Amino acid sequence: MPGQEFATLRDQVAALRAKTISATELLELSIERIERFDDKINAVVVRDFDRAREAAAQADAALARGESAPLLGVPVAVKESFNVAGLPTTWGFPDAKGWQPDADAVLVSRVKAAGGVVVGKTNVPVGLQDWQSYNDIYGTTNNPWDLTRSPGGSSGGSAAALAAGYVSFALGSDIGGSLRVPAHFCGVYAHKPSRTLLPGRGHVPPRVPVVPGPIDLPVVGPMARSAADLTLATLLLAGPDEVEATAYQLTLPPPRSADLAGFRVLVIDEHPLLPTSAVVREGIDSLARNLEGAGATVARHSDLLPDLTLTARTYLTLLMSQFGADIPPEGFQALQAAAAEIPAEDDSLDALIRRSFVLTHGDWVKADRTRLSLADRFRHLFTAFDVLVCPITPTPAFPHNHTNSVLDNRTLDIDGTEYPYNLHLVWASIATALGLPATAAPIGRSPEGLPFGVQIIGPYLEDRTPLRFAELLEQHFGGFTPPPAFA
């Protein structure tokens, strides 16, 4: 069926149910595009075409019997970091090459139970710790809008697969913007859910035991080419882990408003730690004016907004201490020695990051108490506003930059001035530190033709509010468009 390569998830489901296309035909269209374009993009780095063809044939048989399931027959891409039985999970670590888990991650199981057809796994940076997606096992993923630029990370392969028309739905994860940044760079949609909304069991580094339990900063979530598809996917995947759901079930509140005129919106485009590029600021300003024209109540500042510097510093403390937990003993000792050499009066972000890798538990508890205080302040903010709209990163997609490590000497160009690369994290810190839902939505393109978006942050466990707001942006002002070279 012509045009299905860029159809929405909902339209693909409708076409399958109407039998205007079969699951096998839709899968073969997906495979054909991967085989035709992925030597340039390198998004789907683990292919599972044989099992996908079997699953598509089973979906066609089920459809012929009149059976129904939310994703029955729809091709789906899965981030490489999710366990899929029979496929490698490496997180880009060279010493994990070829390692395979024996069971699917919970989200993968839910996709399959809903009838989704897994076509393969998408590329990631080493350890999921970059806003680029490259490693020595699978190579570099390129942005479909400009092959010389990053598609984002760490869910860059999933975002690129969506933008290139391989699939209409993909799984990703986020601890430092890893759903939101790739969506922003590739012009697609992603939802970082409230911290406890989607179960993360099975999204673990290779050889790490898979056990249920609460997680702190990272979340797993959906990516799509349509905001309404994100809502569908989020509601489908949400809910407690089956092995923990003894005494509770999920009931999400409805959106705070059904239309833009009912929304109270706080729009910010400046962060005290990092400037925002002119093109992103102009795009956000245009969006704010359009929202006012559509009847929304829009504010550009509020005394209720908590301290963004304190939020970022608290987040970086918690994040880096989590990364430090997996550093081998000899490396950890070296980091301890280096941290001890930092002058006590050095209160810079770089010093904070390096100290946090070797944080004591007592200092972690103090940082967590600060986080709880900030969460309470954001709770007050969301009594006056329904959503907070802000940048995802300061710029559209940047050129590939594989020099040095993420921590050492890499920089980010913002309107001709270089800034520390790790400051990318400041906008991600708000939703991640506090476990808030954040929906990434495209809002414009730069003079060079690169897409860029915003994140729509909502109150904790009110995920349907930012999701609905993203749907309304899409309806009123437009959304995804295919990159010209792959349309």
Side-chain angles (χ1 to χ4, degrees):
M1 183 178 181
Q4 282 296 327
E5 61 269 32
F6 287 110
T8 66
L9 170 61
R10 289 160 298 122
D11 286 345
Q12 288 184 351
V13 169
L16 288 162
R17 290 178 178 172
K19 296 183 173 58
T20 56
I21 193 170
S22 70
T24 296
E25 290 169 335
L26 189 57
L27 173 65
E28 293 302 329
L29 175 61
S30 176
I31 291 173
E32 186 273 332
R33 287 190 69 83
I34 294 169
E35 291 181 336
R36 176 152 51 114
F37 293 124
D38 218 36
D39 61 332
K40 297 177 181 177
I41 298 174
N42 193 39
V44 182
V45 293
V46 178
R47 300 179 180 184
D48 200 21
F49 295 166
D50 289 343
R51 292 196 302 181
R53 287 183 168 113
E54 293 175 7
Q58 293 171 2
D60 280 327
L63 288 162
R65 294 191 296 269
E67 296 179 13
S68 178
L71 303 176
L72 189 55
V74 175
V76 179
V78 174
K79 186 176 180 177
E80 203 268 0
S81 49
F82 285 86
N83 284 349
V84 177
L87 298 180
T89 297
T90 70
W91 288 44
F93 293 119
D95 63 356
K97 184 176 181 179
W99 183 83
Q100 295 185 5
D102 57 10
D104 292 342
V106 174
L107 246 60
V108 175
S109 295
R110 290 184 180 181
V111 164
K112 290 181 177 179
V117 176
V118 175
V119 298
K121 300 180 79 175
T122 58
N123 205 18
V124 297
V126 178
L128 315 187
Q129 294 178 23
D130 203 342
W131 301 281
Q132 305 177 77
S133 294
Y134 71 97
N135 58 75
D136 289 341
I137 300 174
Y138 301 123
T140 300
T141 299
N142 299 315
N143 191 318
W145 289 88
D146 180 345
L147 299 178
T148 70
R149 294 177 184 264
S150 168
S154 61
S155 307
S158 287
L162 288 164
Y166 297 172
V167 292
S168 62
F169 172 38
L171 294 181
S173 64
D174 192 311
I175 190 173
S178 290
L179 282 160
R180 292 161 283 170
V181 174
H184 164 60
F185 282 4
C186 291
V188 299
Y189 290 84
H191 184 62
K192 187 211 86 66
S194 292
R195 183 174 61 89
T196 55
L197 187 63
L198 273 64
R201 179 163 56 90
H203 184 266
V204 291
R207 304 187 187 95
V208 171
V210 177
V211 293
I215 52 177
D216 186 20
L217 295 173
V219 295
V220 291
M223 308 181 77
R225 289 191 296 260
S226 157
D229 287 348
L230 276 188
T231 301
L232 183 159
T234 301
L235 297 179
L236 174 67
L237 299 173
D241 191 330
E242 290 81 358
V243 301
E244 294 186 301
T246 304
Y248 61 95
Q249 61 185 15
L250 178 69
T251 304
L252 285 177
R256 290 191 174 186
S257 177
D259 51 51
L260 285 178
F263 270 96
R264 300 166 299 166
V265 187
L266 176 59
V267 178
I268 59 173
D269 62 6
E270 295 181 347
H271 197 286
L273 294 175
L274 188 69
T276 305
S277 68
V279 66
V280 172
R281 288 199 319 274
E282 289 165 5
I284 291 176
D285 183 63
S286 176
L287 174 63
R289 287 185 276 107
N290 286 336
L291 288 170
E292 289 175 327
T297 302
V298 178
R300 299 302 298 265
H301 59 83
S302 171
D303 292 338
L304 292 174
L305 182 68
D307 186 331
L308 295 184
T309 296
L310 180 61
T311 302
R313 292 180 67 89
T314 302
Y315 163 73
L316 288 168
T317 300
L318 298 168
L319 176 70
M320 297 306 167
S321 68
Q322 186 165 131
F323 287 163
D326 294 320
I327 295 172
E330 61 277 9
F332 191 83
Q333 291 167 4
L335 287 172
Q336 281 181 315
E341 295 295 321
I342 300 172
E345 65 274 13
D346 188 345
D347 196 35
S348 66
L349 281 181
D350 182 66
L352 178 143
I353 287 170
R354 294 178 186 276
R355 290 188 184 112
S356 297
F357 271 110
V358 294
L359 204 68
T360 67
H361 180 63
D363 284 337
W364 186 95
V365 169
K366 292 175 183 176
D368 190 44
R369 289 172 181 164
T370 301
R371 169 169 52 178
L372 292 174
S373 176
L374 286 164
D376 189 55
R377 293 177 207 172
F378 271 97
R379 214 172 280 121
H380 285 292
L381 176 76
F382 285 119
T383 64
F385 298 98
D386 302 310
V387 291
L388 168 64
V389 174
C390 61
I392 296 171
T393 71
T395 70
F398 55 78
H400 295 299
N401 179 2
H402 301 170
T403 58
N404 307 310
S405 72
V406 175
L407 281 180
D408 295 326
N409 302 320
R410 241 188 236 175
T411 58
L412 171 68
D413 183 300
I414 303 176
D415 293 341
T417 301
E418 301 295 322
Y419 295 88
Y421 186 79
N422 268 317
L423 289 185
H424 258 299
L425 284 164
V426 298
W427 285 113
S429 69
I430 301 170
T432 303
L434 307 171
L436 302 176
T439 305
I443 63 165
R445 289 208 290 273
S446 73
E448 298 82 13
L450 299 171
F452 62 89
V454 292
Q455 59 179 327
I456 305 152
I457 300 175
Y460 180 60
L461 286 177
E462 293 192 48
D463 292 59
R464 295 182 68 180
T465 289
L467 285 165
R468 178 58 182 164
F469 190 80
E471 290 179 34
L472 293 167
L473 294 189
E474 184 178 30
Q475 293 169 14
H476 283 258
F477 312 125
F480 170 81
T481 55
F486 300 94

